[in-house]
Amino acid sequence: MGVGRVAADTAIPLSLGGTVSTLGPGLSLSAAIEPNFLTVELDGALIAYSHSISNGGVTYSGTNHLVSVGLLGNVYPWGNAFHVSAGAYYLDQHLPIDLHLQGGDYRINGLSYTPTALTSLTGRVEYAHGAPYVGIGWGNPTITPGWHLSARLG
């Protein structure tokens, strides 16, 4: 979902707006290639989320870093606000994990460890760096100057 404002006096209608999505808060720049039919959009989002949880004598903590940049084409088949979007996202998403062990023996890969031999573990979860995108939406922020609200599901 995004909110944007169209620049009134540009050769190519442009829109710059804020976005909120499952990828986090971000910015979006849209340009009309063929008004009421085709736009291109450059999106970017960034979010970091920290959380800790304890379970079975182990405290898990980490900060999930989510950075995304997308390039999308939007086709408006009927010349109204309904559109079909397709493109790709570059994703830099990783989750460093720290485990703090609290008493008891632990088995990792078939080996036993005592609390004196092993007090913590660290690791990192990496996600794929690229993802295709296909979606549908409502709203064309490049049609007329002023404020616009649009939504997309994909």
Side-chain angles (χ1 to χ4, degrees), residues 57-70:
V58 179
T59 300
Y60 303 87
S61 62
T63 300
N64 201 355
H65 301 274
L66 306 171
V67 177
S68 64
V69 177

Side-chain angles (χ1 to χ4, degrees), residues 140-153:
N140 185 345
T142 62
I143 293 177
T144 58
W147 291 98
H148 297 272
L149 178 66
S150 60
R152 183 169 40 230
L153 177 65

Side-chain angles (χ1 to χ4, degrees), residues 22-42:
T22 57
L23 297 173
L27 292 174
S28 176
L29 176 65
S30 299
I33 303 302
E34 182 64 41
N36 293 326
F37 182 71
L38 177 64
T39 64
V40 292
E41 184 176 333
L42 180 64

Side-chain angles (χ1 to χ4, degrees), residues 36-38 74-84 137:
N36 293 326
F37 182 71
L38 177 64
N74 303 308
V75 175
Y76 300 82
W78 296 289
N80 61 7
F82 173 80
H83 60 272
V84 177

Side-chain angles (χ1 to χ4, degrees), residues 10-151:
T10 59
I12 297 174
L14 296 174
S15 172
L16 177 64
T19 62
V20 177
S21 75
T22 57
L23 297 173
L27 292 174
S28 176
L29 176 65
S30 299
I33 303 302
E34 182 64 41
N36 293 326
F37 182 71
L38 177 64
T39 64
V40 292
E41 184 176 333
L42 180 64
D43 291 335
L46 167 67
I47 191 169
Y49 174 72
S50 296
H51 189 67
S52 293
I53 187 170
S54 292
N55 186 17
V58 179
T59 300
Y60 303 87
S61 62
T63 300
N64 201 355
H65 301 274
L66 306 171
V67 177
S68 64
V69 177
L71 182 60
L72 305 175
N74 303 308
V75 175
Y76 300 82
W78 296 289
N80 61 7
F82 173 80
H83 60 272
V84 177
S85 301
Y89 277 89
Y90 167 77
L91 307 167
D92 182 10
Q93 303 179 346
H94 58 275
L95 174 61
I97 301 173
D98 295 314
L99 287 80
H100 301 282
L101 309 174
Q102 304 157 352
D105 290 345
Y106 296 94
R107 253 183 117 63
I108 302 170
N109 289 334
L111 300 174
S112 293
Y113 296 92
T114 65
T116 56
L118 182 64
T119 58
S120 67
L121 291 172
T122 59
R124 180 177 168 116
V125 177
E126 293 274 341
Y127 301 99
H129 288 292
Y133 179 88
V134 176
I136 59 171
W138 188 263
N140 185 345
T142 62
I143 293 177
T144 58
W147 291 98
H148 297 272
L149 178 66
S150 60

